[in-house]
Amino acid sequence: MRQHGRGRRAAETPAGYAARLAGTEAALAGPLAVLTRAYGPVRYGGRVTDEDAALAEAAAHELSTVLPDLPPPHDPLADDAPHSPEHKDQP
């Protein structure tokens, strides 16, 4: 995800990360929901069925095929950045 400009923020939970990305790209919503549901049991030692594992594998594959075709994400912080190194705060 990071190599496609969609990395997780430092204090972002898996659910928050999935929600943020799904809110900006509808194509990511389904596979991210599947992976987010699978994350808890995998991370914290819960039960993961073979079906859950297969769904997660399919979701990861779907992301790997969808991500390269998406446009670069918009960075709202870049809107406030100076447009050139010579930029100065002048009236």
Side-chain angles (χ1 to χ4, degrees):
M1 301 293 289
R2 183 178 300 128
Q3 67 266 27
H4 295 285
R6 292 169 171 85
R8 187 177 66 85
R9 294 177 180 151
E12 200 164 35
T13 65
Y17 177 50
R20 177 174 59 86
L21 293 181
T24 61
E25 283 295 339
L28 301 178
L32 288 174
V34 170
L35 290 172
T36 301
R37 279 192 305 272
Y39 176 79
V42 170
R43 174 69 174 93
Y44 299 107
R47 183 170 172 259
V48 179
T49 66
D50 289 342
E51 182 181 358
D52 292 338
L55 289 171
E57 287 288 336
H61 177 72
E62 184 177 349
L63 285 175
S64 72
T65 60
V66 169
L67 281 167
D69 296 330
L70 293 177
H74 173 71
D75 182 1
L77 298 177
D79 291 342
D80 294 333
H83 296 288
S84 70
E86 294 83 27
H87 178 268
K88 295 180 182 170
D89 292 330
Q90 295 179 359

